[in-house]
Amino acid sequence: MRLPTSPTLHKACPNFSNVITSGCIGPPRAALQPAASGLSVIADFKRSMPGLALCVGLTAVAKLLEQAEVTAFDQPYLEGLVIAILLGVALRTVWKPGPLWASGIGFSAKTLLEIAVVLLGGSISAATVWALGPFLLVGIALIVTLAIASSYLICRGMGLPLRMSILVACGNSICGNSAIAAVAPIIGADADEIASSIAFTAVLGVIVVLGLPLLVPLLDLSLTQYGVLAGLTVYAVPQVLAATLPIGALSNQVGTVVKLVRVLMLGPVVLGLSLFAGRLRNGDAAPGAGAAGRWPPLRELVPWFIVGFLLLALARSLGLIPPDIVRPLRTVAAVLTTIAMAALGLGVDVRTVAKAGLRVATAVTVSLVVLALISLALIRLAGIA
């Protein structure tokens, strides 16, 4: 991002970049640039404070409501992340944030979310992943790939826009809201597309947590089989815990590891999508639109937060990150993601979301059913006891 120069310098010399021709007398531009940049960063931070404080406040309320759920029902049926975006949408419905809040809301929705993705890498280790066995690991990667492809085709077949189809496909196939939020900046999705995708995956996520245990007696699933099924179909890691703990500790352990492998697929998927970022940001533009033959810059091919995610995952695998640090990393990442979702909700126009509601709901539901069927097929083909 290019930082603006100091307004004072522009007033004194409107054409300060060309000191000699403009006749302005003063130190060279190079001498003033560091100071001007530093002042600009401070000014940007001050501009971000009101919006950032607003998003943090909504997050605090969301966490309190989540805790109230735990007190009343022993578990949260709606995660704080979902509550935060709903609070943001509700507030945006009755009040439109002005310019005073815009900078901080934008910072919360983008930068904080990217930092959260980086921190998630610190919770993944190669030893934990390899303990599942190579066949199941390959099977999980194959399931994610097939699920993304089938979900995307279902969404496009139902007439959903290109970017929303990708969001729904990634959300269903990888890790729900977190995947949607991570993929969104890569493909240039707007707030309405993100909120529509998250809203229905959140609702279905709760339904899956409540309904999935009912399949154990219906399909005669063992603890291990049910753990794999939960890890492959439930959206969020906390939801995996809620869906497996009532069945047994073994299901909980297996489901959590399988789920973490699915989360690990987020890096390669985002990296792959970044290769087509220019086309995706133009929506359904015809092939060849834009600057043809131009290789995208490195920052578009490999976003900085994906590099950070992979580096932290490598550091965790090499034992450079102590186990005691893993839980705090997850906690910080979860809080930052929740703040980002509150910011996202503040930018949502409910009327636009409602227009696409039925099609999105149907596409997400059908995609989830397909994912469950593919997952059951893997369990049978892999011969999981």
Side-chain angles (χ1 to χ4, degrees):
M1 180 180 70
R2 184 177 181 179
L3 299 175
T5 56
S6 172
T8 305
L9 294 177
H10 282 291
K11 288 181 180 178
C13 179
N15 193 20
F16 189 79
S17 61
N18 193 344
V19 177
I20 297 177
T21 58
S22 67
C24 292
I25 300 175
R29 184 183 183 188
L32 287 177
Q33 191 170 14
S37 299
L39 292 174
S40 178
V41 170
I42 295 174
D44 287 342
F45 179 75
K46 289 181 177 179
R47 284 194 297 269
S48 299
M49 285 303 296
L52 178 59
L54 175 61
C55 296
V56 171
L58 290 176
T59 298
V61 174
K63 288 298 183 181
L64 289 174
L65 292 175
E66 182 183 38
Q67 187 59 44
E69 288 184 87
V70 175
T71 302
F73 308 110
D74 293 330
Q75 63 181 14
Y77 290 101
L78 280 180
E79 296 179 61
L81 184 147
V82 178
I83 298 174
I85 193 172
L86 293 176
L87 289 175
V89 172
L91 182 58
R92 174 63 176 82
T93 302
V94 298
W95 172 69
K96 181 179 180 180
L100 175 66
W101 314 89
S103 179
I105 293 174
F107 173 81
S108 300
K110 185 178 186 298
T111 305
L112 292 186
L113 181 61
E114 293 173 346
I115 295 173
V117 173
V118 173
L119 295 179
L120 283 176
S123 64
I124 304 294
S125 68
T128 303
V129 174
W130 193 252
L132 288 173
F135 185 83
L136 184 56
L137 294 178
V138 174
I140 294 172
L142 180 61
I143 290 295
V144 171
T145 303
L146 291 176
I148 290 177
S150 61
S151 182
Y152 173 79
L153 292 176
I154 290 170
C155 292
R156 293 297 279 172
M158 292 185 175
L160 294 187
L162 173 65
R163 291 187 292 264
M164 186 178 291
S165 299
I166 294 174
L167 292 179
V168 171
C170 293
N172 265 6
S173 308
I174 305 175
C175 51
N177 301 332
S178 299
I180 292 172
V183 168
I186 298 297
I187 65 176
D190 59 36
D192 294 325
E193 291 171 328
I194 301 170
S196 296
S197 305
I198 286 179
F200 293 105
T201 55
V203 173
L204 278 181
V206 175
I207 295 175
V208 170
V209 168
L210 297 176
L212 199 63
L214 301 178
L215 296 180
V216 174
L218 291 177
L219 301 178
D220 193 24
L221 298 175
S222 68
L223 293 177
T224 302
Q225 290 173 333
Y226 177 72
V228 173
L229 178 63
L232 289 173
T233 55
V234 176
Y235 290 141
V237 175
Q239 291 177 343
V240 172
L241 300 179
T244 54
L245 281 176
I247 304 301
L250 180 58
S251 293
N252 175 249
Q253 295 169 7
V254 173
T256 300
V257 175
V258 171
K259 176 61 189 171
L260 288 177
V261 177
R262 279 178 69 199
V263 173
L264 188 62
M265 291 295 294
L266 180 60
V269 168
V270 173
L271 179 60
L273 288 174
S274 67
L275 297 174
F276 307 96
R279 165 72 187 278
L280 296 172
R281 287 170 183 163
N282 290 327
D284 296 299
R294 181 183 67 85
W295 189 256
L298 183 61
R299 65 178 179 273
E300 292 187 11
L301 288 174
V302 186
W304 75 270
F305 58 92
I306 295 302
V307 175
F309 177 92
L310 296 176
L311 288 177
L312 257 68
L314 177 62
R316 175 81 171 92
S317 301
L318 296 176
L320 301 178
I321 298 179
D324 295 340
I325 304 298
V326 174
R327 183 179 295 273
L329 286 177
R330 290 177 181 170
T331 301
V332 173
V335 171
L336 293 180
T337 303
T338 305
I339 295 174
M341 292 302 100
L344 182 65
L346 289 169
V348 171
D349 186 348
V350 177
R351 293 168 297 182
T352 304
V353 176
K355 292 178 182 178
L358 181 60
R359 288 185 301 166
V360 176
T362 304
V364 173
T365 303
V366 175
S367 299
L368 183 60
V369 171
V370 171
L371 173 61
L373 293 175
I374 296 175
S375 300
L376 287 171
L378 172 66
I379 292 173
R380 301 304 183 189
L381 291 175
I384 298 174

